[in-house]
Amino acid sequence: MVSGLADRRRTQITSAAVDAAARQRLEQTTRWLPGETEGRIFGEWLDRGYFHPDATGSPSENFSVAIPPPNVTGVLHMGHALNGSMQDALVRMNRMRGRNTLWILGTDHAGIATQSVVEKQLRSEGLDRHEIGREAFVERVWEWKEHHGNRIREQYQRLGASCDYERERFTLDHGYALAVRKVFLELFEKGYIYRDNYMVNWDPGSHSAISDLEVENREETDTLYSVDYPVEGSERALTVATVRPETMMADTAVAVNPDDPRYADLVGEHCVLPLVGRRLPIIADEHVDPEFGTGALKITPGHDVNDFEIGRRHGLEEISVIGEDGRMTEAAGERFAGMKVAEAQVAVAQALREQGVLSGEEPYTHSVPFSHRSGERIEPLISLQWFCRMDELAAPAIRAVEEDRVRITPGQWKRVYLDWMNEIRPWCISRQLWWGHRIPVWYRGDEVYAGESPPDGEGWTQESDVLDTWFSSAIWPFATLGWPEETPEMKAFYPTDFLTTAREILFLWVARMIMTGVEFAGDVPFHDVYVHSVIQARDGRRMSKSLGTGIDPLGEIEQHGADALRFGLLAMSSTQDVRYSDAKVQQGRDLANKLWNASRLVLLNAEAPADREPPATPAAAEDRWILSRLESTVAEVTGLLDAYDFAHAAQAIYTFVFSELCDWYLEIAKPRIYEGDPEVAAVLLHTLERTLALVHPVMPFVTEAIWEFHPYREGHLAVHRFPRAEDDRRDPEIESEVGEAIGLTRQLRGWRDMAGVPPKVVLDAAGDGSRVPEFVSRLGRVRIGEGSGEPVATVAGFGIRPSEGLDMEALSARLAARREKLEDERKKVAGKLANSGFVEKAPPEVVAEERQKLEQIDAELAELG
């Protein structure tokens, strides 16, 4: 039993059938109304404290998940909704299993995003942050956060997320900030954190270095310029191809591939940089692609990531001709200094034409990095920044995944993770912002001091940069639990159990959490990582507000209800990216309605028996069948959720509830229900109780609302026991027997539809009725062993005879038309299969599908006679 929840579970509502008041409400509510119910139910869960566990027990006994913290500026998008639905399914299931369950909630301060929002607000007032100063600006951001920072919290509640809203954290709250500084200072003391000039993604729009995640690549068509670099002391020239002639004033070499015979004699020689006249060494480096352009590459270490690495390998000078303001510097020369980059490109190209060294121009489409935040084109710049050396931190994080102490699902992402970690580079952890964790380093002249506060004495100033947002979120799983203090929460819930995440932050966030978890908290931060698919727009493009392809999950909740959206997202999720499916959400809506109406039938007609447990072996075959199918489904769904196969779990729930329970069992059992058969009542109430508990983690609202009327109710379904499969009720033989009878009924109904038999007509059929259950005749609207005359068709082994009310002339015409259509189809399929070229060249599964189609056509033709 969950500690602290025992007293909350025992709220006895009724021990008999539905009471009069409840019965009236249930009779009047003929369909599921999520908008009128969800808010009230969620409020009840919160009031009871179901989501706020006591910090007792051990991590091996408990279950905990740390939510990927959304930006404080954010609103709920489909990624949050999918991620939240997956986490909540596991959280609710484990809470119902009796485990002390914590879902850690919080938001990220989101440095650049939040600062940008408030700067935009200031501009609307005719101000900028430099006018009001750092202290006043940070105060304005805090004010904005207090007014707007709770939106996404409220939206998670609309989704039904059972987070611990009482333990909510923020990555800039006081305790969290202390943890961030402690991590920085310890890494600084170990020598892992240092300051250096290094290549970064510079965003001229936000005037800051930004992370790879904040860079988006776009296809752009630029001009590819061919420029001749004269070889010193020779009539030859090396022609290089570049889309950025404006950076050539920072060139410090020309490189060729060491295996390229065209230039073997030039390696070690020099060429002359046009417009500038600087001597450039001709070097050999394996990075150069001999197939691109002429195979000669201008090397600009100050403005290209790859050139920077080549330059460091060869000890080249690093020149910067583009400044942090996005304009050309004095190092670009008097003619170009002060120009914007785009202006300089045009001017440099013209100067090259004038010098006669521009030998070619052609359109070139390539991937160009832009800032996701400002929209400006990224400038790779060498900048004085703070870095963290990763080698020592990465090694134990690599071992943790290799040894499966952290399991990454799907499995291909384990290899991707390990490949990236084995090639890890220093991490630029500083940002030129005002909103965030200010780096705890102090300067006085040439003196540098790292600490919580400056040393004694005058003249110390603090570093103006803040830490990368990913630095603070890297400690999320343990800082949220109170680290570095040895809190009860740390003892009870760390390591956490599970993380679900998008693939693009596997390195930026997940890998860094593993590194810091091992280094500072003494263990991995979670045992399982599930990399979920990306839900695309309906047309297959990425969801984007700017592209107009975004789909608002709150709008979907308003229209269909939270349960429908949750079910739909889980059902459409997979290991591959998928298009948003309105049909899957509608399927969830239909399932909620079906479950509601089926439950009304049961609860309004089944009297609660004295003994809740149905007989071990009920007399009716259909009762034994539904109890067996129930337990098979419990085992299947539980196994799939435990394996993070959410799509198949959702589908298994749908098949059992919609088809087997509602469409078949209830229809089969209806006469007994209305007759007040106590055995069927026991089976129904037992099955409904276990079904509601099984479905609850996926669709919590409708199941809780139905549970309110169940005579066995003791407290809320949110803390009811989750079903464990009862193997002694599983009966493969009865599942097969009744399953076959249902198949016969389907065939009879299908034939009736095809033949246009009116619903009121009961067909006479030749055959032995004793070999099938009674419901086949009743639901198939057929009298087996009745009537006379020659059968006009054979269906499911029964000969359909002329019957009262049946228009034989119309039937014959429809059967003839169907026969003709099937024969035409058969010719096409048989022709395909007779074609050796098709059989040999088509994929085996396609050939098998065609053969199966032929068998089905032949079987139906045989029935038609």
Side-chain angles (χ1 to χ4, degrees), residues 272-292:
V272 179
L273 177 61
L275 304 184
V276 178
R278 186 163 58 245
R279 293 176 76 234
L280 304 179
I282 301 170
I283 62 175
D285 195 281
E286 291 182 350
H287 171 77
V288 180
D289 179 4
E291 303 299 319
F292 177 76

Side-chain angles (χ1 to χ4, degrees), residues 764-791:
D764 292 330
D768 181 6
S770 65
R771 68 182 178 88
V772 295
E774 168 275 336
F775 71 80
V776 174
S777 298
R778 174 163 50 87
L779 300 181
R781 304 283 290 158
V782 61
R783 289 186 291 260
I784 301 171
E786 299 290 330
S788 60
E790 286 299 311

Side-chain angles (χ1 to χ4, degrees), residues 581-700:
S581 170
D582 293 293
K584 292 292 186 186
V585 177
Q586 185 60 50
Q587 193 178 50
R589 176 71 181 263
D590 293 343
L591 179 59
N593 278 324
K594 191 87 162 182
L595 183 56
W596 176 264
N597 286 321
S599 300
R600 286 180 71 247
L601 172 68
V602 173
L603 295 169
L604 291 173
N605 293 283
E607 285 294 327
D611 184 0
R612 292 185 179 186
E613 282 296 308
T617 309
E622 62 264 26
D623 291 351
R624 299 197 302 278
W625 174 75
I626 197 61
L627 291 172
S628 181
R629 287 301 307 136
L630 170 63
E631 298 311 321
S632 296
T633 304
V634 167
E636 182 183 7
V637 170
T638 303
L640 290 168
L641 288 176
D642 280 333
Y644 316 130
D645 189 346
F646 299 98
H648 286 104
Q651 196 55 53
I653 286 170
Y654 184 88
T655 299
F656 174 75
V657 174
F658 203 98
S659 178
E660 294 173 338
L661 177 59
C662 299
D663 281 349
W664 289 106
Y665 178 70
L666 290 181
E667 288 302 310
I668 294 168
K670 259 183 187 175
R672 296 167 58 217
I673 296 172
Y674 292 139
E675 290 165 6
D677 182 337
E679 191 162 289
V680 79
V683 171
L684 284 167
L685 292 171
H686 169 87
T687 300
L688 182 58
E689 176 186 17
R690 289 174 69 75
T691 299
L692 293 175
L694 179 67
V695 177
H696 180 80
V698 173
M699 305 178 77

Side-chain angles (χ1 to χ4, degrees), residues 216-523:
E216 60 181 14
N217 291 300
R218 303 179 196 163
E219 288 293 309
E220 296 282 322
T221 299
D222 288 324
T223 300
L224 184 67
Y225 298 91
S226 295
V227 184
D228 297 331
Y229 285 44
V231 175
E232 192 176 61
S234 165
E235 296 298 316
R236 295 171 66 183
L238 278 176
T239 302
V240 302
T242 180
V243 293
R244 303 207 66 192
E246 69 276 14
T247 66
M248 64 182 290
M249 280 76 74
D251 289 359
T252 54
V254 172
V256 298
N257 191 284
D259 297 324
D260 192 335
R262 294 173 294 177
Y263 306 118
D265 61 322
L266 293 180
V267 176
E269 302 296 328
H270 289 77
C271 59
V272 179
L273 177 61
L275 304 184
V276 178
R278 186 163 58 245
R279 293 176 76 234
L280 304 179
I282 301 170
I283 62 175
D285 195 281
E286 291 182 350
H287 171 77
V288 180
D289 179 4
E291 303 299 319
F292 177 76
T294 62
L297 183 69
K298 77 185 200 70
I299 303 302
T300 318
H303 297 290
D304 183 273
V305 174
N306 294 316
D307 292 3
F308 176 79
E309 297 292 344
I310 293 171
R312 290 270 164 123
R313 285 199 292 273
H314 294 270
L316 300 176
E317 185 182 1
E318 296 166 352
I319 300 171
S320 292
V321 295
I322 300 173
E324 293 179 351
D325 58 358
R327 293 181 178 272
M328 305 302 287
T329 67
E330 291 182 4
E334 186 177 347
R335 180 172 177 177
F336 309 112
M339 287 183 177
K340 291 182 178 180
V341 169
E343 298 168 345
Q345 183 177 108
V346 174
V348 170
Q350 180 57 34
L352 292 170
R353 289 189 197 95
E354 293 168 3
Q355 200 174 80
V357 292
L358 189 58
S359 57
E361 299 177 53
E362 59 182 283
Y364 179 64
T365 301
H366 63 135
S367 182
V368 177
F370 286 82
S371 167
H372 177 68
R373 298 298 177 191
S374 71
E376 296 278 338
R377 188 168 178 158
I378 291 297
E379 285 296 344
L381 296 183
I382 296 174
S383 177
L384 182 60
Q385 301 282 347
W386 284 95
F387 293 88
C388 183
R389 190 173 71 244
M390 305 305 293
D391 299 339
E392 295 87 348
L393 295 170
I398 290 170
R399 287 195 299 274
V401 172
E402 286 176 335
E403 296 166 1
D404 284 335
R405 286 185 288 123
V406 175
R407 295 174 292 272
I408 301 178
T409 305
Q412 74 261 28
W413 294 107
K414 175 179 179 179
R415 175 46 50 197
V416 172
Y417 168 95
L418 291 172
D419 288 346
W420 185 82
M421 290 289 281
N422 282 305
E423 298 294 328
I424 199 164
R425 295 165 56 173
W427 173 16
C428 176
I429 60 172
S430 49
R431 297 290 181 267
Q432 290 64 57
L433 303 171
W434 286 356
W435 173 247
H437 294 273
R438 194 166 178 178
I439 293 175
V441 171
W442 310 80
Y443 305 107
R444 185 171 67 179
D446 293 333
E447 294 180 85
V448 178
Y449 175 80
E452 285 280 350
S453 54
D456 293 337
E458 298 294 325
W460 291 97
T461 57
Q462 188 175 357
E463 169 65 70
S464 59
D465 288 356
V466 300
L467 289 165
D468 177 14
T469 296
W470 296 103
F471 187 93
S472 52
S473 60
I475 64 173
W476 180 253
F478 54 93
T480 50
L481 295 172
W483 185 91
E485 301 299 321
E486 291 186 13
T487 61
E489 284 79 6
M490 275 294 290
K491 292 175 183 176
F493 298 114
Y494 189 88
T496 65
D497 290 87
F498 172 79
L499 176 80
T500 177
T501 186
R503 60 176 175 264
E504 64 264 21
I505 55 175
L506 185 61
F507 316 127
L508 291 163
W509 188 46
V510 178
R512 289 166 179 168
M513 284 191 289
I514 298 173
M515 287 187 263
T516 59
V518 173
E519 178 74 15
F520 295 100
D523 201 350

Side-chain angles (χ1 to χ4, degrees), residues 49-333:
Y50 294 145
F51 310 155
H52 181 62
D54 296 336
T56 57
S58 67
S60 61
E61 300 167 326
N62 299 337
F63 185 83
S64 59
V65 175
I67 200 169
N71 289 353
V72 71
T73 57
V75 294
L76 196 73
H77 58 60
M78 278 301 171
H80 295 135
L82 172 64
N83 197 304
S85 297
M86 289 177 169
Q87 291 172 86
D88 200 35
L90 297 178
V91 165
R92 286 180 180 273
M93 179 174 69
N94 280 282
R95 185 182 293 118
M96 294 170 73
R97 281 170 164 170
R99 299 180 72 181
N100 202 22
T101 300
L102 172 66
W103 188 5
I104 302 162
L105 175 70
T107 50
D108 192 285
H109 65 278
I112 290 177
T114 311
Q115 179 158 321
S116 297
V117 167
V118 179
E119 285 199 80
K120 185 177 179 181
Q121 194 178 71
L122 284 175
R123 285 195 295 274
S124 71
E125 300 170 16
L127 299 170
D128 68 44
R129 64 183 167 111
H130 298 285
E131 288 179 66
I132 66 173
R134 181 170 193 147
E135 189 175 331
F137 177 78
V138 170
E139 210 171 291
R140 282 288 296 264
V141 183
W142 275 109
E143 287 173 8
W144 182 92
K145 187 262 179 190
E146 293 307 313
H147 281 95
H148 303 284
N150 292 326
R151 287 182 303 180
I152 200 156
R153 176 184 194 269
E154 294 159 2
Q155 290 166 350
Y156 265 114
Q157 293 183 356
R158 291 289 309 279
L159 185 68
S162 60
C163 308
D164 188 342
Y165 295 92
E166 296 179 52
R167 284 192 175 99
E168 184 177 354
R169 298 300 302 271
F170 178 53
T171 55
L172 267 179
D173 68 36
H174 177 71
Y176 203 101
L178 286 174
V180 170
R181 291 196 295 273
K182 180 174 177 62
V183 167
F184 179 94
L185 294 171
E186 287 194 18
L187 292 174
F188 182 89
E189 286 299 317
K190 291 183 177 182
Y192 298 171
I193 286 180
Y194 59 96
R195 205 176 185 211
D196 193 11
N197 285 294
Y198 208 81
M199 181 67 67
V200 297
N201 300 313
W202 186 263
D203 176 9
S206 65
H207 302 286
S208 176
I210 63 174
S211 70
D212 291 339
L213 183 64
E214 291 153 333
V215 174
E216 60 181 14
N217 291 300
R218 303 179 196 163
E219 288 293 309
E220 296 282 322
T221 299
D222 288 324
T223 300
L224 184 67
Y225 298 91
S226 295
V227 184
D228 297 331
Y229 285 44
V231 175
E232 192 176 61
S234 165
E235 296 298 316
R236 295 171 66 183
L238 278 176
T239 302
V240 302
T242 180
V243 293
R244 303 207 66 192
E246 69 276 14
T247 66
M248 64 182 290
M249 280 76 74
D251 289 359
T252 54
V254 172
V256 298
N257 191 284
D259 297 324
D260 192 335
R262 294 173 294 177
Y263 306 118
D265 61 322
L266 293 180
V267 176
E269 302 296 328
H270 289 77
C271 59
V272 179
L273 177 61
L275 304 184
V276 178
R278 186 163 58 245
R279 293 176 76 234
L280 304 179
I282 301 170
I283 62 175
D285 195 281
E286 291 182 350
H287 171 77
V288 180
D289 179 4
E291 303 299 319
F292 177 76
T294 62
L297 183 69
K298 77 185 200 70
I299 303 302
T300 318
H303 297 290
D304 183 273
V305 174
N306 294 316
D307 292 3
F308 176 79
E309 297 292 344
I310 293 171
R312 290 270 164 123
R313 285 199 292 273
H314 294 270
L316 300 176
E317 185 182 1
E318 296 166 352
I319 300 171
S320 292
V321 295
I322 300 173
E324 293 179 351
D325 58 358
R327 293 181 178 272
M328 305 302 287
T329 67
E330 291 182 4

